[in-house]
């Protein structure tokens, strides 16, 4: 697998996901929630790399190809640069116990001017079969 | 020899021919930037984006003995009558590019192909008829010795 590019993102957006909870409402309005698992899932990580050289933009495509698009799951090591600028615990950007990232969709590459592009990426966390 | 440049030395050339009775020209060159600031940085960084050059000129509507009229010639690059107004009033030839040279001295000028983007004329009592013309360069200037 090609290493994920060690480039600091221009912007990063993290959505925390949730536990597998099902909610039932009685006719009088009372709510009952059933927890079906003990692991959080479904978190997403949106990354934007704005106005980077085309050669760097190409690195993101190579990583996407190496994990067969949305098929394979992987961890994002702290060396990947994904967490740059985050001053909290770096493990925060690991997907979590028995959880890994995969591409939620193909990276979007937008050419800005000759030699310069913008790349938008969305990762989705998936629970591994235990 | 040290020298200043003033309006007395200013000239405007339209397709290589010196325009008559030009009262002013100006141009503006601008450089956009592309933001490259990343999450670990505290100060904005940028790389050069797209440049653009545009300008304005004012000419008196002056007809020479030969019949030449620089003002009329210039606005005709923008104003195009319909080819067949009765049948298709909304169809006219496209505007054409024109080569302008904005000259501040004998060997000081900026030249390029431009699109005329607007032309305005006002006829008024007590005033000489003239035109205010704005233009935008198509690409980079072809010559620049300013």
């Amino acid at each position: 697998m090609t290493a994920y590019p060690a480039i600091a993102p221009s912007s990063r957006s993290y959505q925390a996901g949730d536990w597998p909870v099902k909610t039932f409402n009685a006719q009088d309005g009372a709510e009952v929630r059933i927890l079906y698992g003990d692991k959080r899932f479904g978190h997403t990580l949106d990354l934007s790399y704005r106005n980077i050289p085309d050669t760097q933009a190409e690195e993101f495509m190579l990583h996407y190809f190496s994990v067969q698009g949305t098929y394979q799951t992987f961890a994002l090591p702290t060396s990947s640069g994904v967490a740059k600028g985050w001053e909290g615990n770096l493990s925060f950007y690991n997907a979590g116990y028995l959880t890994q990232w995969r591409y939620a969709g193909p990276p979007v590459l937008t050419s800005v001017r000759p030699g310069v592009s913008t790349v938008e990426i969305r990762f989705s966390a998936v629970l591994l079969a235990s | 020899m040290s020298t200043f440049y003033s309006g007395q030395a200013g000239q405007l050339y339209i397709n290589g021919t010196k325009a008559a009775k030009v009262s002013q020209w100006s141009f503006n060159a601008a450089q956009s930037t592309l933001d490259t600031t990343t999450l670990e940085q505290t100060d904005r960084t940028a790389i050069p984006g797209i440049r653009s050059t545009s300008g304005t000129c004012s000419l008196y509507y002056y007809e020479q003995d030969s019949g030449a009229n620089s003002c009329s010639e210039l606005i005709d690059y923008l104003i195009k009558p319909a080819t067949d107004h009765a049948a298709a009033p909304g169809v006219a030839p496209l505007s054409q590019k024109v080569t302008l040279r904005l000259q501040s001295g004998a060997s000081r000028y900026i030249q390029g192909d431009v699109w005329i983007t607007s032309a305005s004329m006002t006829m008024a009592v007590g005033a000489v008829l003239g035109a205010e013309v704005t233009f935008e360069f198509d690409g980079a200037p072809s010559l620049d010795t300013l």
Side-chain angles (χ1 to χ4, degrees):
Chain A
M1 181 194 307
T2 305
Y4 189 79
I7 301 166
S10 310
S11 68
R12 178 179 53 232
S13 175
Y14 178 78
Q15 199 175 47
D18 199 0
W19 277 258
V21 176
K22 188 145 188 176
T23 304
F24 301 91
N25 283 95
Q27 284 189 325
D28 66 355
E31 182 180 282
V32 176
R33 293 171 304 284
I34 297 177
L35 184 66
Y36 285 94
D38 60 352
K39 298 177 195 68
R40 185 168 54 101
F41 76 105
H43 26 309
T44 58
L45 184 61
D46 290 271
L47 301 167
S48 174
Y49 300 85
R50 283 192 293 273
N51 303 321
I52 58 176
D54 285 347
T55 50
Q56 289 186 352
E58 195 176 3
E59 292 179 37
F60 291 100
M61 296 299 148
L62 293 176
H63 182 261
Y64 177 70
F65 299 153
S66 74
V67 296
Q68 297 173 288
T70 58
Y71 178 63
Q72 291 185 26
T73 61
F74 49 87
L76 287 173
T78 53
S79 60
S80 67
V82 167
K84 280 188 177 175
W86 171 255
E87 296 184 355
N89 190 331
L90 288 179
S91 65
F92 182 79
Y93 285 104
N94 292 331
Y97 179 63
L98 282 179
T99 309
Q100 284 199 322
W101 296 110
R102 70 167 176 82
Y103 283 91
V108 178
L109 189 153
T110 306
S111 294
V112 178
R113 71 151 170 80
V116 176
S117 295
T118 290
V119 177
E120 310 275 346
I121 288 173
R122 166 169 271 205
F123 293 127
S124 176
V126 291
L127 275 172
L128 303 177
S130 53
Chain B
M1 189 177 72
S2 304
T3 184
F4 288 106
Y5 292 88
S6 68
Q8 287 180 328
Q11 294 174 344
L12 175 72
Y13 283 77
I14 303 170
N15 289 332
T17 303
K18 184 181 168 186
K21 308 303 178 186
V22 178
S23 60
Q24 72 90 18
W25 61 250
S26 70
F27 77 93
N28 176 57
Q31 167 78 68
S32 70
T33 57
L34 299 172
D35 189 10
T36 56
T37 314
T38 60
L39 289 174
E40 61 186 348
Q41 295 177 312
T42 57
D43 290 68
R44 186 171 296 280
T45 58
I47 57 174
I50 300 297
R51 278 189 298 264
S52 64
T53 310
S54 59
T56 67
C57 61
S58 300
L59 299 84
Y60 290 112
Y61 192 80
Y62 177 76
E63 192 159 304
Q64 301 174 72
D65 291 340
S66 64
N69 186 326
S70 303
C71 181
S72 175
E73 180 191 349
L74 192 58
I75 64 175
D76 280 351
Y77 282 95
L78 173 67
I79 302 170
K80 302 288 183 186
T83 311
D84 184 352
H85 191 269
V91 179
L94 294 174
S95 299
Q96 296 164 296
K97 278 189 290 188
V98 56
T99 302
L100 290 187
R101 174 185 287 194
L102 313 177
Q103 193 155 319
S104 62
S107 59
R108 297 287 185 181
Y109 54 82
I110 181 170
Q111 177 176 309
D113 293 340
V114 308
W115 293 103
I116 304 298
T117 51
S118 77
S120 61
M121 300 179 73
T122 304
M123 178 68 95
V125 173
V128 177
L129 180 61
E132 311 285 329
V133 175
T134 65
F135 51 86
E136 188 164 320
F137 278 63
D138 180 35
S142 53
L143 294 167
D144 174 25
T145 58
L146 283 176

